[in-house]
Amino acid sequence: MFSKWMATACLLLCLSPVPALSADTGPMAQIEQTVEQVIDTLKDDTIKGEQQRQRLTELIKARFDFQAMSQWVLGPYWKKADADERETFMELFSELLEANYLGRIESYTDEEVRFVSEKIDGRRAEVETLIITDSAEIPISYKLVDRQGQWLVYDVIVEKVSLVRNYRGTYTEIARKEGMEGLFEQMRNKIGELKNRPKEA
């Protein structure tokens, strides 16, 4: 269940290019505008299949701050890593998220998205939303950082479970035991598995 709603949360933010959003608006307004465009895109029969997947791949990097996410996920190992290792991790982590969550695009089935509140603290913000289904209300929080007027996501929290913390617990342990190269190898293997998995019905 967590993977399904995390996938939906990520998808709702990945489909719209950031430059289309006004830098004068706050974090919730930017997310809301993006979500409206995303829902229209998901309903557009002219961009299904591989064409839609290519668009997702291109646009996801415009909405998420992968450097901030990578720093949080690696924790102390980010400081220990050299420039090449940091770049490699960011590339692999972004590719893994794409393979994991974009592969679950069928998870979104016209659920209602309700925007609840925003909290801004300097250059950081948190936007609270609800996904309304026939049987439940799923709370989803987006943590964002202000990058020159554009609010970029660095963590997604679904039912109090953090995407970043979920990966951090696993990846820091692998880095401790096997080093960065061992972590990269496991990430590449996981990406391969995700890309080769059967499509969900």
Side-chain angles (χ1 to χ4, degrees):
M1 176 63 74
F2 172 77
S3 292
K4 173 180 178 178
W5 296 118
M6 183 64 74
T8 300
C10 291
L11 284 168
L12 289 177
L13 291 179
C14 295
L15 288 165
S16 177
V18 171
L21 304 176
S22 171
D24 296 328
T25 57
M28 186 161 70
Q30 290 190 21
I31 287 182
E32 185 170 1
Q33 184 177 352
T34 301
V35 168
E36 290 172 355
Q37 294 172 342
V38 165
I39 291 173
D40 289 341
T41 302
L42 287 169
K43 293 178 179 179
D44 187 347
D45 292 332
T46 67
I47 53 171
K48 295 297 183 182
E50 186 60 28
Q51 184 181 0
Q52 186 181 65
R53 188 172 288 270
Q54 289 175 358
R55 180 176 295 187
L56 288 170
T57 299
E58 293 170 358
L59 297 177
I60 189 172
K61 291 180 174 64
R63 176 46 59 195
F64 285 87
D65 188 331
F66 283 110
Q67 179 169 332
M69 294 178 78
S70 296
Q71 287 180 259
W72 279 96
V73 168
L74 279 182
Y77 295 97
W78 177 265
K79 293 182 179 180
K80 296 178 182 179
D82 61 32
D84 288 341
E85 289 173 331
R86 291 178 178 181
E87 186 65 28
T88 298
F89 181 83
M90 285 191 290
E91 290 176 359
L92 289 174
F93 188 56
S94 64
E95 188 175 354
L96 186 142
L97 289 182
E98 290 167 17
N100 196 7
Y101 297 121
L102 299 187
R104 300 174 185 271
I105 192 168
E106 294 84 2
S107 296
Y108 182 79
T109 54
D110 293 329
E111 290 87 2
E112 175 190 353
V113 182
R114 186 173 299 169
F115 301 90
V116 179
S117 64
E118 70 177 4
K119 184 187 299 182
I120 302 174
D121 183 10
R123 294 180 57 248
R124 304 278 179 173
E126 185 167 0
V127 173
E128 303 284 349
T129 70
L130 288 172
I131 293 182
I132 312 299
T133 73
D134 292 335
S135 59
E137 295 185 354
I138 313 299
I140 296 177
S141 300
Y142 298 100
K143 292 195 172 185
L144 307 99
V145 59
D146 182 5
R147 301 297 190 196
Q148 298 180 332
Q150 297 296 338
W151 290 93
L152 303 183
V153 175
Y154 68 88
D155 197 9
V156 182
I157 301 170
V158 178
E159 295 182 308
K160 298 183 180 181
V161 179
S162 161
L163 179 150
V164 167
R165 289 184 181 177
N166 193 45
Y167 280 105
R168 177 169 176 154
T170 301
Y171 285 3
T172 55
E173 181 66 10
I174 295 172
R176 183 183 70 82
K177 290 181 177 180
E178 303 182 27
M180 295 299 290
E181 287 303 321
L183 174 59
F184 296 157
E185 181 180 359
Q186 291 205 30
M187 293 175 75
R188 291 186 182 103
N189 290 340
K190 184 62 177 179
I191 290 167
E193 291 176 9
L194 290 169
K195 288 184 175 180
N196 292 323
R197 71 185 173 189
K199 293 184 178 179
E200 297 183 357

